[in-house]
Amino acid sequence: MRVTVTRAYKTELDLNNRQLTACKRHAGVARFAYNWGLARKQEAYKVTGKSPSAIDLHRELNALKKIELPWMYEVSKCAPQEALRNLDNAFAHFFRRCKLKQEGKWRGKVGYPQRKTKKQGVGSFRLTGAIAIFPTAIQLPRLGRLRLKEREYLPLSGIKVLSATVTEQAGHWYVSIQVEQEQTVPVNNGPTVGVDLGVKTLATLSDGTVIPNHRHLKRRLKKIKRLQRAVGRRKKGSQNRKKAVRTLGKEYRKVGNQRANTVHQFTSRLAKTKSVVVIEDLNVSGMLKNHHLAQAISDVGFAEFRRQLTYKAAWYGCRVIVASRWEPSSKTCSGCGWVDEDLTLADRVFRCENPGCGLVMDRDLNAAINLSKLAGSSSESQNACGEDSAGRSREAAVKLPTQSGA
Ligand SMILES: [Zn+2]
C-alpha cells in the first residue's frame, strides 16, 4: 500500500564564516520578531482585550521595517514571518493547556509564552519558498548553497519540500527539512507484543525481551554534574565562566543525542518487527514524579516515545494500541486474572495469591503480558496507517490512541 506522509529530515550543516554570520543574523531577526510580537500582543491585549494575529503583526512589522528597522532587509522575509507564526502556535498551545487544566486533565505547567534570550542559545529560524537539494548541499532563500556534512542523506527526488528550519546547538548548525513524500507500507507479519516501560530497564516486552538502560548515560550524567560545579566556581561575567558554560553545553548535547538515539532505535525496532504493539497510556507528569520511567524515556518524554512509535508504525505497517490508564496491568495476574490490590512500586516480583495458580513472575514482564492480551480484546482498534490515510496518515495515526484507548 502506498501512502503520502509528512516527515522531516535533519542533518548537520558545514558553514563557512560568511554563511555563519548570515545564519546568526537570521536567527537574531527571528528572535527579535518573536519578542517584539509577544510585547505587541501583551500591549494590545491590555488596551483592547484582543490579541493581534501573526498576519496582523507581520503587516505592522513590515511597515516598521521601512522606517526603524532597515537591518531587517538583510535577511529573508520568512525569518520574522515564521517566528510570528511560532508565537501564534505558542499561544494556541498555552490556551489549550489552560482549558485542559480547568477540566482537570493537565497537571503540568500551562506555559505562558516567554521572551527568547540569547542565553538559551543562538536559536533557530524557518524558511519557506525556493529550497533545492543537492547531494552535498542545500540551497535556501537568501543564504544560497550551504554544504552538508553528510552526503546524500536528504532525499533528492520524490518529495515536496514544505519548509526548512536552521537550528544552532552548542556550536553546531543543523537544517531540518519538512517534506511530503510517497511511501510504500510493507506487509508486517511480526508478532503481537505488549510493552511495559520500566523503572530500572528501558522496557520489558511480553515475549520476555528486556531492553536495558545504557550504562554510558550514567557516566555522562556524572560528568555533567562535575561541569556544572565548575561553572558555579567561576566568576560571573568572566571569560573562564563563558568557556565552562560552553563545555557544559557540549556535554548536554552529547547526552541529549545519546538518549534520543536510544529511544529512536527502540521505537524503530518495535515498529519494524512487530505487527501489533500494546502500550500503556501513562499519565506523564504523575509518572515523572514517581521516577517510574527509565532515564532515556523520561528525558525525551513518554509523549515523544508514543509519538515516534505511532508515526513509525504507520511507515512499517504496524498497529499501536494504547491501553486505558485505568487498566490495572501491573496489579493483575497474567495467569489467572487475580488482582493484587496491595502491589506497590517497590514490589519487583509479582506473586499470585490465588491458590490454584501461584504464579511468581517479574513484575514488568507480568504487566507486559497483560498488555499484549489487550490486543485481542480490543476490537475497536484500527490500523495505525488507516485505510484512507493518503495525505493525512500522520494525523490519523495521532488520533488513533483516543479511538482505541477504551
Ligand atoms: Zn494467578
Side-chain angles (χ1 to χ4, degrees):
M1 187 175 57
R2 286 185 74 73
V3 289
T4 311
V5 293
T6 305
R7 62 169 295 183
Y9 292 85
K10 186 173 179 179
T11 191
E12 194 171 349
L13 290 166
D14 186 8
L15 302 175
N16 64 29
N17 277 336
R18 195 176 47 77
Q19 291 163 343
L20 189 65
T21 312
C23 282
K24 280 183 183 167
R25 200 166 276 158
H26 274 80
V29 168
R31 192 185 328 116
F32 171 84
Y34 189 94
N35 291 339
W36 174 86
L38 181 59
R40 279 293 297 131
K41 270 181 186 268
Q42 287 166 341
E43 262 170 51
Y45 186 76
K46 259 183 210 157
V47 178
T48 63
K50 272 184 191 164
S51 177
S53 73
I55 300 163
D56 300 335
L57 287 173
H58 190 234
R59 210 170 285 142
E60 200 179 320
L61 189 65
N62 269 340
L64 260 173
K65 207 159 128 178
K66 277 176 202 148
I67 323 155
E68 289 175 37
L69 312 165
W71 44 268
M72 276 183 78
Y73 284 107
E74 289 173 25
V75 307
S76 161
K77 68 177 191 324
C78 294
Q81 192 175 358
E82 295 291 318
L84 290 172
R85 218 169 262 173
N86 286 349
L87 180 63
D88 261 14
N89 284 335
F91 270 100
H93 285 305
F94 164 69
F95 290 128
R96 178 177 59 81
R97 286 186 295 258
C98 280
K99 202 174 159 226
L100 285 175
K101 192 124 193 169
Q102 272 175 353
E103 294 166 359
K105 288 178 191 162
W106 185 260
R107 287 160 74 188
K109 288 179 181 169
V110 285
Y112 183 79
Q114 298 290 315
R115 280 177 63 82
K116 290 185 188 293
T117 79
K118 237 178 161 176
K119 249 188 191 168
Q120 299 158 332
V122 180
S124 66
F125 59 92
R126 187 167 60 235
L127 302 173
T128 54
I131 296 163
I133 296 162
F134 305 97
T136 56
I138 183 167
Q139 188 164 332
L140 299 175
R142 285 308 282 268
L143 290 162
R145 211 182 262 221
L146 309 176
R147 279 174 61 93
L148 300 171
K149 287 203 171 165
E150 193 175 347
R151 233 189 115 85
E152 282 168 17
Y153 170 69
L154 300 182
L156 289 161
S157 58
I159 52 157
K160 189 180 151 208
V161 182
L162 303 172
S163 68
T165 307
V166 177
T167 322
E168 187 264 3
Q169 198 194 7
H172 293 256
W173 287 82
Y174 302 89
V175 64
S176 167
I177 55 165
Q178 205 195 5
V179 303
E180 244 175 33
Q181 174 175 41
E182 279 242 321
Q183 211 159 322
T184 309
V185 179
V187 179
N188 189 329
N189 293 323
T192 296
V193 80
V195 179
D196 183 72
L197 298 174
V199 183
K200 289 188 176 114
T201 59
L202 187 67
T204 306
L205 309 188
S206 58
D207 58 12
T209 317
V210 176
I211 300 181
N213 253 324
H214 278 287
R215 288 229 183 94
H216 57 247
L217 285 176
K218 221 172 190 175
R219 206 174 57 224
R220 287 232 181 266
L221 288 181
K222 243 182 179 172
K223 198 171 173 190
I224 280 186
K225 279 200 179 133
R226 206 178 64 227
L227 291 170
Q228 278 170 337
R229 284 198 300 272
V231 171
R233 280 197 302 272
R234 308 280 185 269
K235 213 172 132 194
K236 272 189 184 160
S238 69
Q239 275 306 317
N240 279 333
R241 191 180 169 106
K242 268 186 203 155
K243 232 189 273 174
V245 167
R246 260 203 304 276
T247 319
L248 178 62
K250 277 184 193 165
E251 205 55 35
Y252 270 133
R253 175 175 162 271
K254 276 183 202 158
V255 73
N257 285 346
Q258 277 180 340
R259 286 174 167 182
N261 188 42
T262 307
V263 177
H264 266 297
Q265 282 185 342
F266 180 43
T267 48
S268 288
R269 177 172 157 186
L270 285 175
K272 278 183 192 170
T273 60
K274 315 291 178 212
S275 63
V276 180
V277 177
V278 191
I279 56 171
E280 216 169 353
D281 182 7
L282 297 175
N283 181 337
V284 181
S285 48
M287 274 304 157
L288 293 187
K289 265 177 212 147
N290 285 336
H291 300 286
H292 191 276
L293 294 180
Q295 202 129 40
I297 289 185
S298 77
D299 187 60
V300 302
F302 170 73
E304 173 64 12
F305 165 78
R306 181 164 144 180
R307 188 188 71 83
Q308 283 181 18
L309 185 63
T310 316
Y311 78 69
K312 288 177 186 179
W315 295 350
Y316 300 116
C318 165
R319 202 175 73 177
V320 178
I321 296 173
V322 182
S324 126
R325 198 171 294 170
W326 296 278
E327 209 83 52
S329 66
S330 30
K331 291 185 174 177
T332 309
C333 170
S334 60
C336 66
W338 176 78
V339 178
D340 182 357
E341 290 295 349
D342 304 326
L343 192 84
T344 64
L345 218 59
D347 299 326
R348 299 310 313 150
V349 177
F350 184 91
R351 284 172 214 282
C352 181
E353 282 166 33
N354 184 349
C357 173
L359 178 101
V360 178
M361 192 184 258
D362 177 75
R363 170 215 175 90
D364 296 335
L365 181 59
N366 181 55
I369 293 174
N370 281 328
L371 285 170
S372 73
K373 282 182 179 169
L374 292 171
S377 61
S378 165
S379 54
E380 276 174 64
S381 62
Q382 63 176 59
N383 199 308
C385 32
E387 266 96 308
D388 54 351
S389 58
R392 287 284 162 268
S393 72
R394 197 154 163 194
E395 284 89 326
V398 174
K399 270 183 207 140
L400 171 77
T402 49
Q403 288 161 354
S404 62

